[in-house]
Amino acid sequence: MKLSVSSLVFALLFSFLLETSASTDENFLQCLTLHSGNDSISKLIYSSSNSLNSAVLKFNIRNNRFSTPSTPIPQVIVTPLLISHVQATLNCSLKHGLHLRVRSGGHDYEGLSYVSPVPFVLDLINLRNISVDIENSFAWVQSGATVGEVYYWIANKSRTLRFPAGLCHTMGVGGHFSGGGYGTMMRKYGLVADNVLDAHLIDVKGVNSSQEGNRTVQASFDSLYLGGKDKLLPLMQESFPELGLVSEDCAEMSWIQSMVYFAGFSCEQSPDILLTRGPSILYFKGKSDYVKNSIPEMGLEGIWQRFYENEAASAMLILTPYGRRMSEISESSIPFPHSAGNIYKIQRLVSWSEEENAAPEMYVNWIRWLYNYMASYVSQSPREAYLNYRGLDIGTNNEGNKSYSQASYGVLNILKSTSKGWWMGRLWLILLISLRMSKIPLS
């Protein structure tokens, strides 16, 4: 069976190998087949002696100055259908030291996306899918699509939506967008790049940022505003314009429905869900910190890198902002020393499943590793922690849990920052609590 498969692959590659005698070319094609996971990519490769090569090359040439007999042409054009084909081409070009050009629409003023004596051109003409979401006013567009196609499909879906890009309808999205992209509406809406919300990237080594199964860091901002969105939006646009908050991002609901939402349920779910109790199937480890000064960008990059290296299925860094009323409360007014002077509280959580529970030390050690890394970016002397996110890491000792003074040192370091800290260290049985409630304005 193995011999038959090898013969089949050889047969598919043979015509190409006759046309490109260099061993580098041969190795490149074999590499493409291997990295793409199947041999279908061979049908998307056009060599310089293939009659279709000229037609594929000329189809997206927009300046005939670069369509002459003396114009250097690429030895091979690859026209991927799938993201995996792009990854394979990049991986194999890097592996074999081959220079690669990428063509989206062919509008490059000097033809640099396709005029070259270098071996290969990656032509994105087949990656041109456009998905328009009318309800949320955004679209996903592949790099091989043209500006005209973007305009057409937006207008096909809506008579009121528009997009501020250029005038030449045959321009490729990849080149036009990445260069900034200007058009007739730029004085009203800015450049194309100003209206790009997100992008899925494949880097020079072939790492697809959106590939299923690959790790990425995602940020979400869940916030509660006590009022209507008509008052919220102007405030957000003034203070946090980079978030691009629009009316469609907001959901107006009663206070009790917001508690349902923040509990992790749909806001349409009945508040009765808040009455449910039951056993948990979650395994987790958590640790906390307080931040008094902004963490620099370099520190944040280090945090993200450690998240990439985590093997757990789920890990979170939750930042809870302080300020306003919290800053007005003295650290000694109640047995809670963290009200004033902190920008936000950090909660780190790592969780794992029943199947992964055979080796929980791996996940616990990871969160301890992250905790140690962040020591220089959080409160110091003492390093504070939230009592209810308690972690015995702070109070462990090296004598088999026999030394109370050593084990309690870390905890006492946290508690001594308040004159009433002794209260927090005591055990209390609270049977009834009186609550002060606040009226929430209806508008």
Side-chain angles (χ1 to χ4, degrees):
M1 182 65 180
K2 182 179 290 187
L3 180 61
S4 299
V5 173
S6 300
S7 300
L8 175 61
V9 173
F10 179 78
L12 289 170
L13 304 183
F14 188 68
S15 62
F16 176 84
L17 298 180
L18 289 176
E19 297 161 357
T20 54
S21 58
S23 60
T24 301
D25 298 340
E26 177 183 347
N27 293 335
F28 175 74
L29 183 55
Q30 291 174 339
C31 180
L32 279 181
T33 303
L34 176 64
H35 278 270
S36 65
N38 56 65
D39 52 33
S40 63
I41 196 171
S42 62
K43 302 174 183 178
L44 307 173
I45 299 172
Y46 303 89
S47 68
S48 57
S49 59
N50 187 322
S51 59
L52 291 177
N53 177 284
S54 178
V56 172
L57 177 65
K58 291 182 178 180
F59 185 80
N60 269 346
I61 292 180
R62 301 301 169 190
N63 187 344
N64 281 330
R65 185 161 66 95
F66 305 114
S67 183
T68 68
S70 61
T71 302
I73 62 174
Q75 295 179 23
V76 176
I77 300 174
V78 182
T79 57
L81 285 171
L82 305 172
I83 291 176
S84 61
H85 294 159
V86 178
Q87 292 175 286
T89 305
L90 291 171
N91 281 319
C92 294
S93 297
L94 184 65
K95 179 178 180 180
H96 295 287
L98 301 175
H99 194 167
L100 184 71
R101 297 286 175 90
V102 180
R103 181 167 74 169
S104 179
H107 270 260
D108 188 286
Y109 271 34
E110 296 298 330
L112 297 181
S113 61
Y114 56 91
V115 175
S116 176
V118 301
F120 302 101
V121 165
L122 184 64
D123 195 315
L124 303 180
I125 188 172
N126 292 325
L127 293 175
R128 59 199 307 169
N129 184 61
I130 299 171
S131 176
V132 180
D133 185 333
I134 297 299
E135 182 179 355
N136 296 297
S137 300
F138 74 86
W140 280 108
V141 181
Q142 287 188 314
S143 293
T146 65
V147 169
E149 289 170 337
V150 173
Y151 292 158
Y152 176 85
W153 288 112
I154 291 176
N156 183 265
K157 296 280 187 176
S158 170
R159 293 176 60 88
T160 58
L161 292 179
R162 58 195 64 81
F163 188 75
L167 303 182
C168 296
H169 73 284
T170 54
M171 287 190 296
V173 161
H176 182 53
F177 285 20
S178 61
Y182 71 93
T184 54
M185 292 192 288
M186 69 177 182
R187 284 170 55 85
K188 176 73 173 178
Y189 296 105
L191 301 176
V192 168
D194 295 317
N195 293 276
V196 171
L197 300 176
D198 197 359
H200 291 174
L201 306 177
I202 299 177
D203 67 13
V204 69
K205 296 181 180 180
V207 177
N208 175 15
S209 65
S210 63
Q211 185 179 12
E212 185 175 354
N214 277 11
R215 293 185 177 276
T216 187
V217 175
Q218 181 181 15
S220 62
F221 301 86
D222 288 331
S223 303
L224 173 66
Y225 177 75
L226 301 178
K229 60 182 179 181
D230 57 327
K231 294 183 179 179
L232 169 65
L233 289 173
L235 292 176
M236 292 297 292
Q237 289 161 2
E238 178 182 353
S239 301
F240 300 100
E242 60 270 29
L243 294 181
L245 188 73
V246 295
S247 179
E248 291 76 13
D249 298 325
C250 307
E252 293 183 320
M253 62 190 77
S254 65
W255 166 76
I256 190 62
Q257 287 301 145
S258 74
M259 294 300 100
V260 172
Y261 170 80
F262 284 113
F265 303 104
S266 167
C267 56
E268 285 80 28
Q269 178 77 47
S270 168
D272 293 347
I273 196 70
L274 300 176
L275 301 177
T276 59
R277 294 191 180 194
S280 173
I281 59 172
L282 184 66
Y283 298 85
F284 72 92
K285 169 67 177 177
K287 292 185 72 66
S288 68
D289 262 312
Y290 282 92
V291 176
K292 298 182 180 298
N293 299 294
S294 298
I295 298 177
E297 185 174 342
M298 179 181 67
L300 294 175
E301 291 289 348
I303 294 173
W304 310 151
Q305 183 59 40
R306 281 158 177 78
F307 267 78
Y308 283 123
E309 297 171 9
N310 173 32
E311 296 295 329
S314 177
M316 292 189 293
L317 191 71
I318 303 173
L319 310 182
T320 304
Y322 277 36
R324 293 296 297 272
R325 176 68 179 124
M326 293 294 288
S327 296
E328 299 168 0
I329 302 174
S330 167
E331 68 173 20
S332 60
S333 64
I334 62 170
F336 184 86
H338 316 294
S339 295
N342 290 306
I343 303 176
Y344 54 85
K345 178 185 74 217
I346 292 178
Q347 180 183 183
R348 306 171 196 81
L349 281 175
V350 60
S351 60
W352 58 95
S353 66
E354 176 71 34
E355 293 75 18
E356 299 168 307
N357 196 43
E361 296 83 5
M362 176 173 65
Y363 309 117
V364 173
N365 289 337
W366 174 81
I367 204 169
R368 288 172 176 165
W369 178 47
L370 178 61
Y371 179 81
N372 291 335
Y373 165 78
M374 295 186 66
S376 61
Y377 301 114
V378 297
S379 60
Q380 301 173 28
S381 301
R383 184 172 184 178
E384 302 175 33
Y386 178 42
L387 179 68
N388 285 355
Y389 294 156
R390 66 193 71 188
L392 294 182
D393 315 62
I394 299 175
T396 55
N397 59 54
N398 301 317
E399 300 182 22
N401 294 324
K402 296 179 181 178
S403 171
Y404 175 79
S405 61
Q406 181 184 357
S408 64
Y409 174 77
V411 178
L412 291 175
N413 237 358
I414 294 173
L415 301 181
K416 72 181 183 181
S417 62
T418 173
S419 59
K420 294 186 179 180
W422 60 269
W423 185 87
M424 298 175 72
R426 291 175 177 251
L427 176 64
W428 289 83
L429 179 61
I430 302 178
L431 299 179
L432 187 64
I433 304 175
S434 176
L435 302 178
R436 178 176 62 203
M437 294 180 288
S438 301
K439 289 186 177 181
I440 300 176
L442 298 179
S443 60

